[in-house]
Amino acid sequence: MTYNYDWLDTECATLEQAGLLRHLRTVRSAPTGTINLDGRDVVLLGSNNYLGLSTHPKVIAAAVEATRSFGTGASGSRLISGNSELYTALETNLAEAKETEAALVFSSGYAANTSVIPVLAGEGDVILSDALNHASIIDGCRLSRATKQVYRHCDVEHLSALLSESAAFRRRLIVTDGVFSMDGDIAPLPDICEVAAQHDAMVLVDDAHGFGVLGKDGSGTVAHFGLEGRGIVQMGTLSKAVGALGGYIAGSHALIELLVNRARGFIFTTGLPPATLAAANAALDLMRSAPELRQRLFSHAKRLKTALIDLGYTLLPSETQILPVVLGNPQRATSVAEALLAEGVFAPAIRPPAVPTGTSRLRLTVMATHTEAEMQQAIAGFAAVFPKFR
Ligand SMILES: Cc1ncc(COP(=O)(O)O)c(C=O)c1O
């Protein structure tokens, strides 16, 4: 007799009834402003390749060259045989960009968060976490076995109140997205640093969406606020504005040394492919010297935001390239996304658990490399769809 797996179908049916069943779509092109999605060309408003670097000729050439020289895989974990010189070059470049003593690359941003948090906090410690932090932070907190307290989104008074009652804990760690992934707003880092200093707390910033976009040379949210040198532990990813794959932690030599020895998501996994490391390093060079890409990104974001508000859409007050159009229940968000797709615009619907219940939305992102024609097509698509859903 074989095990009866019918419960899997029941679970999926329950998700479907709630409007929460997800399906994979197939992309048959590079992630440029227009992609081929399930066989149709559509304008892409859902990419994290914010600066368009994943298809830059110099980045592709670096990846090809690295594959020729080093092969396709790392062949081992970094502490055994997988630590190629490409890592050294990339980590040096990252530490320079971040103005920190050192940096350490992980296989993904998810692995970086789920690894660094348990190293910084454990049993007897407390983690203060923003209510809208990314799932990888939430999972990192769970793995740490520290006590977790959630403060209201960007509410520094609430954070301060929780810290005032935290004296009994051994260590305190505040963790926040720099740019919130689903809302596009920026964490109030100067105020967070202020209360952290008052209560002797560490600060960890997840800069997945600020890196490449905010601050001098795109170095991120910490630089945006001029908080370099304040001991903030900076996490980020190479999978978004850098257009490759991998996560990183930037901080002191001591932190990086401890991570190499304790971070389980660093130790117990194979190194990244050489092509990925070389591509990330080449993209990082371009990112640091391309203010015009950031200008275009922000100009596109402003244009799309203004056009959608003029059309009658309700947007959250984002300050960045992430523009959330909140629609309420999951079914409504999916219907609007499908209607837009019929107009040739791919604006993905985001539903719980990625966002809180009742706030299902379209999470729109622009890219610096969107053309004028693509911007016009996107806005025309929203104009055609609005009357059907008002
Ligand atoms: C805020 C935030 N942190 C971490 C991650 C994880 O990064 P990665 O995709 O490189 O695993 C993401 C991406 O989904 C993110 O949006």
Side-chain angles (χ1 to χ4, degrees), residues 153-167:
H153 179 52
C154 288
D155 185 338
V156 181
E157 268 181 36
H158 189 207
L159 169 63
S160 177
L162 292 174
L163 279 167
S164 303
E165 290 160 16
S166 68

Side-chain angles (χ1 to χ4, degrees), residues 48 108-111 113 134 136-137 177 179 181 206 208-209 235 237-240 245-247:
N48 295 324
S108 69
Y110 185 90
N113 270 337
H134 188 259
S136 55
I137 294 178
D177 280 18
V179 171
S181 56
D206 174 340
H209 299 277
M235 173 273 168
T237 162
L238 304 166
S239 64
K240 303 192 194 299
L245 177 70

